Coordinates of all heavy atoms in Angstrom, one line a residue:
G109 N -83.3 -20.9 42.2 CA -81.8 -20.6 42.3 C -81.5 -19.2 42.1 O -80.4 -18.9 41.7
S110 N -82.4 -18.3 42.4 CA -82.1 -16.9 42.3 C -81.1 -16.4 43.2 O -80.5 -15.3 43.1 CB -83.4 -16.1 42.5 OG -83.8 -16.2 43.8
G111 N -80.8 -17.1 44.4 CA -79.8 -16.8 45.3 C -80.3 -15.8 46.4 O -79.6 -15.5 47.3
K112 N -81.6 -15.5 46.3 CA -82.2 -14.6 47.4 C -82.2 -15.2 48.8 O -82.1 -14.4 49.7 CB -83.6 -14.2 47.0 CG -83.6 -13.3 45.8 CD -85.0 -12.9 45.4 CE -85.1 -12.0 44.2 NZ -86.5 -11.6 43.8
G113 N -82.2 -16.5 48.8 CA -82.2 -17.1 50.1 C -80.8 -17.5 50.6 O -80.6 -18.2 51.7
N114 N -79.7 -17.1 49.9 CA -78.4 -17.4 50.3 C -77.8 -16.4 51.2 O -78.1 -15.2 51.2 CB -77.5 -17.6 49.0 CG -77.8 -18.8 48.2 OD1 -78.5 -19.7 48.7 ND2 -77.3 -18.9 47.0
F115 N -76.8 -16.9 52.1 CA -76.2 -16.0 53.0 C -74.7 -16.1 52.9 O -74.2 -17.2 52.9 CB -76.7 -16.4 54.5 CG -75.8 -15.7 55.5 CD1 -75.9 -14.4 55.8 CD2 -74.9 -16.4 56.3 CE1 -75.1 -13.7 56.7 CE2 -74.2 -15.9 57.3 CZ -74.3 -14.5 57.5
E116 N -74.1 -14.9 52.8 CA -72.6 -15.0 52.7 C -72.1 -14.2 53.9 O -72.2 -13.0 54.0 CB -72.1 -14.2 51.4 CG -70.7 -14.4 51.1 CD -70.2 -15.8 50.7 OE1 -71.1 -16.5 50.1 OE2 -69.1 -16.2 51.0
A117 N -71.4 -15.0 54.9 CA -70.9 -14.3 56.1 C -69.7 -13.4 55.8 O -68.8 -13.9 55.1 CB -70.6 -15.4 57.1
Q118 N -69.7 -12.3 56.5 CA -68.5 -11.5 56.6 C -67.7 -11.9 57.7 O -68.2 -11.7 58.9 CB -68.8 -10.0 56.6 CG -69.5 -9.4 55.3 CD -69.4 -7.9 55.1 OE1 -68.4 -7.4 55.5 NE2 -70.5 -7.4 54.7
E119 N -66.5 -12.4 57.5 CA -65.7 -12.9 58.6 C -64.2 -12.2 58.7 O -63.3 -12.8 59.2 CB -65.5 -14.4 58.5 CG -66.9 -15.1 58.4 CD -66.7 -16.6 58.2 OE1 -66.5 -17.3 59.2 OE2 -66.6 -17.0 57.1
Y120 N -64.1 -11.1 58.0 CA -62.9 -10.4 57.9 C -62.2 -10.2 59.3 O -61.0 -10.5 59.5 CB -63.0 -9.1 57.2 CG -63.7 -9.2 55.8 CD1 -64.9 -8.5 55.7 CD2 -63.3 -10.0 54.8 CE1 -65.6 -8.6 54.5 CE2 -64.0 -10.1 53.7 CZ -65.1 -9.4 53.5 OH -65.8 -9.6 52.3
V121 N -62.9 -9.6 60.2 CA -62.3 -9.3 61.5 C -61.9 -10.6 62.3 O -60.8 -10.6 62.8 CB -63.2 -8.4 62.3 CG1 -62.6 -8.1 63.8 CG2 -63.5 -7.1 61.7
F122 N -62.9 -11.5 62.3 CA -62.5 -12.8 63.0 C -61.3 -13.5 62.5 O -60.5 -13.9 63.2 CB -63.8 -13.6 63.0 CG -63.6 -15.0 63.7 CD1 -63.7 -15.0 65.0 CD2 -63.4 -16.1 62.9 CE1 -63.5 -16.3 65.7 CE2 -63.2 -17.4 63.5 CZ -63.3 -17.5 64.9
E123 N -61.3 -13.7 61.1 CA -60.1 -14.3 60.6 C -58.8 -13.6 60.8 O -57.8 -14.2 61.0 CB -60.4 -14.5 59.0 CG -61.5 -15.4 58.7 CD -61.3 -16.8 59.2 OE1 -60.1 -17.2 59.3 OE2 -62.3 -17.6 59.5
S124 N -58.9 -12.2 60.8 CA -57.7 -11.4 61.0 C -57.2 -11.6 62.4 O -56.0 -11.8 62.6 CB -58.1 -9.9 60.8 OG -56.9 -9.1 61.1
L125 N -58.1 -11.6 63.4 CA -57.7 -11.8 64.8 C -57.2 -13.2 65.0 O -56.2 -13.4 65.8 CB -59.0 -11.5 65.7 CG -59.4 -10.1 65.7 CD1 -60.7 -10.0 66.8 CD2 -58.4 -9.1 66.2
K126 N -57.8 -14.2 64.3 CA -57.3 -15.5 64.4 C -56.0 -15.7 63.9 O -55.1 -16.4 64.5 CB -58.3 -16.5 63.8 CG -58.1 -18.0 64.0 CD -59.2 -18.8 63.6 CE -59.4 -18.8 62.1 NZ -60.4 -19.9 61.7
S127 N -55.6 -15.0 62.8 CA -54.3 -15.2 62.2 C -53.2 -14.4 63.0 O -52.1 -14.8 63.0 CB -54.4 -14.7 60.7 OG -54.6 -13.3 60.6
N128 N -53.6 -13.3 63.6 CA -52.6 -12.5 64.3 C -52.5 -12.7 65.8 O -51.8 -12.0 66.5 CB -52.7 -11.0 63.9 CG -54.0 -10.4 64.5 OD1 -54.6 -10.9 65.5 ND2 -54.4 -9.2 64.1
G129 N -53.3 -13.6 66.3 CA -53.3 -14.0 67.7 C -54.1 -13.0 68.5 O -54.1 -13.1 69.8
G130 N -54.9 -12.1 67.9 CA -55.7 -11.1 68.6 C -56.8 -11.8 69.5 O -57.3 -11.1 70.4
L131 N -57.2 -13.0 69.1 CA -58.3 -13.6 69.9 C -57.9 -14.0 71.3 O -58.7 -14.1 72.2 CB -58.7 -14.9 69.2 CG -59.5 -14.8 67.9 CD1 -59.7 -16.2 67.2 CD2 -60.7 -14.0 68.0
A132 N -56.5 -14.0 71.5 CA -56.0 -14.3 72.8 C -56.3 -13.2 73.9 O -56.3 -13.4 75.1 CB -54.5 -14.5 72.8
L133 N -56.5 -12.0 73.4 CA -56.9 -10.8 74.2 C -58.3 -10.9 74.7 O -58.8 -10.2 75.6 CB -56.6 -9.5 73.4 CG -55.2 -9.0 73.4 CD1 -55.2 -7.7 72.6 CD2 -54.6 -8.8 74.8
L134 N -59.2 -11.7 74.0 CA -60.6 -11.7 74.3 C -60.8 -12.8 75.4 O -60.0 -13.8 75.5 CB -61.4 -12.0 73.1 CG -61.2 -11.1 71.9 CD1 -62.1 -11.5 70.7 CD2 -61.4 -9.7 72.3
N135 N -61.9 -12.7 76.2 CA -62.0 -13.7 77.2 C -62.6 -15.0 76.6 O -63.1 -15.1 75.5 CB -62.9 -13.2 78.4 CG -64.4 -12.9 77.9 OD1 -64.9 -13.7 77.1 ND2 -64.9 -11.8 78.3
D136 N -62.6 -16.1 77.4 CA -62.9 -17.5 76.9 C -64.4 -17.5 76.4 O -64.8 -18.1 75.5 CB -62.7 -18.5 78.0 CG -61.3 -18.7 78.3 OD1 -60.4 -18.4 77.4 OD2 -60.9 -19.3 79.4
S137 N -65.2 -16.7 77.2 CA -66.7 -16.8 76.9 C -66.9 -16.3 75.5 O -67.7 -16.8 74.7 CB -67.5 -16.0 77.9 OG -67.5 -16.6 79.1
I138 N -66.3 -15.1 75.1 CA -66.4 -14.5 73.8 C -65.9 -15.5 72.7 O -66.5 -15.7 71.7 CB -65.8 -13.1 73.7 CG1 -66.5 -12.2 74.6 CG2 -65.7 -12.6 72.3 CD1 -65.9 -10.8 74.7
N139 N -64.7 -16.1 73.0 CA -64.1 -16.9 72.0 C -65.0 -18.1 71.8 O -65.1 -18.6 70.7 CB -62.7 -17.4 72.5 CG -61.6 -16.3 72.1 OD1 -61.5 -15.9 71.0 ND2 -60.8 -16.0 73.1
I140 N -65.5 -18.7 72.8 CA -66.5 -19.9 72.6 C -67.6 -19.5 71.8 O -68.0 -20.2 70.8 CB -66.9 -20.4 74.0 CG1 -65.7 -21.0 74.7 CG2 -68.0 -21.4 73.8 CD1 -66.0 -21.4 76.2
K141 N -68.2 -18.4 72.1 CA -69.4 -17.9 71.3 C -69.0 -17.6 69.9 O -69.8 -17.9 68.9 CB -70.0 -16.7 72.0 CG -70.6 -17.0 73.4 CD -71.2 -15.7 74.0 CE -71.6 -15.9 75.4 NZ -72.8 -16.8 75.4
L142 N -67.9 -17.0 69.7 CA -67.5 -16.6 68.3 C -67.2 -17.9 67.5 O -67.6 -18.0 66.3 CB -66.2 -15.8 68.3 CG -66.4 -14.3 68.6 CD1 -65.1 -13.6 68.9 CD2 -67.2 -13.6 67.6
N143 N -66.5 -18.9 68.1 CA -66.1 -20.1 67.4 C -67.4 -20.9 67.1 O -67.5 -21.5 66.0 CB -65.2 -20.9 68.2 CG -63.8 -20.5 68.2 OD1 -63.2 -20.3 67.1 ND2 -63.2 -20.3 69.3
R144 N -68.4 -20.9 68.0 CA -69.7 -21.6 67.7 C -70.4 -20.9 66.6 O -71.0 -21.6 65.6 CB -70.6 -21.6 69.0 CG -71.9 -22.3 68.8 CD -72.7 -22.3 70.1 NE -73.1 -20.9 70.4 CZ -73.9 -20.6 71.4 NH1 -74.4 -21.5 72.2 NH2 -74.3 -19.3 71.7
L145 N -70.4 -19.6 66.5 CA -71.1 -18.8 65.4 C -70.4 -19.1 64.1 O -71.1 -19.4 63.1 CB -71.1 -17.4 65.7 CG -71.6 -16.4 64.6 CD1 -73.0 -16.7 64.3 CD2 -71.4 -15.0 65.0
H146 N -69.1 -19.1 64.1 CA -68.4 -19.2 62.8 C -68.4 -20.7 62.3 O -68.4 -21.0 61.2 CB -67.0 -18.8 62.9 CG -66.9 -17.2 62.9 ND1 -66.7 -16.5 61.8 CD2 -67.1 -16.3 63.9 CE1 -66.7 -15.2 62.1 NE2 -66.9 -15.1 63.4
S147 N -68.6 -21.6 63.3 CA -68.8 -23.1 62.8 C -70.2 -23.2 62.2 O -70.5 -23.9 61.3 CB -68.7 -24.0 64.1 OG -67.4 -24.0 64.5
Q148 N -71.2 -22.4 62.8 CA -72.5 -22.4 62.2 C -72.5 -21.8 60.8 O -73.3 -22.2 60.0 CB -73.5 -21.7 63.1 CG -74.9 -21.7 62.8 CD -75.5 -23.1 62.6 OE1 -75.1 -24.0 63.3 NE2 -76.4 -23.3 61.7
Y149 N -71.7 -20.8 60.6 CA -71.6 -20.2 59.2 C -71.2 -21.4 58.3 O -71.7 -21.4 57.1 CB -70.5 -19.2 59.2 CG -70.9 -17.9 59.9 CD1 -69.8 -16.9 60.2 CD2 -72.2 -17.5 60.1 CE1 -70.2 -15.7 60.8 CE2 -72.5 -16.3 60.7 CZ -71.4 -15.4 61.0 OH -71.7 -14.2 61.6
R150 N -70.4 -22.3 58.6 CA -69.9 -23.4 57.8 C -71.1 -24.3 57.5 O -71.2 -24.8 56.4 CB -68.8 -24.2 58.5 CG -67.5 -23.4 58.9 CD -66.6 -23.0 57.6 NE -67.2 -21.9 56.9 CZ -67.1 -20.6 57.3 NH1 -66.6 -20.4 58.5 NH2 -67.7 -19.7 56.6

Side-chain angles (χ1 to χ4, degrees):
S110 64
K112 291 181 179 179
N114 287 347
F115 168 71
E116 189 72 30
Q118 294 201 36
E119 305 177 85
Y120 308 118
V121 176
F122 178 79
E123 292 299 333
S124 176
L125 294 181
K126 189 164 68 171
S127 64
N128 67 17
L131 291 177
L133 281 179
L134 309 182
N135 66 42
D136 290 342
S137 294
I138 292 177
N139 275 312
I140 289 171
K141 292 176 185 295
L142 283 171
N143 281 308
R144 182 180 64 174
L145 173 62
H146 286 266
S147 293
Q148 184 59 32
Y149 287 160
R150 302 287 76 76

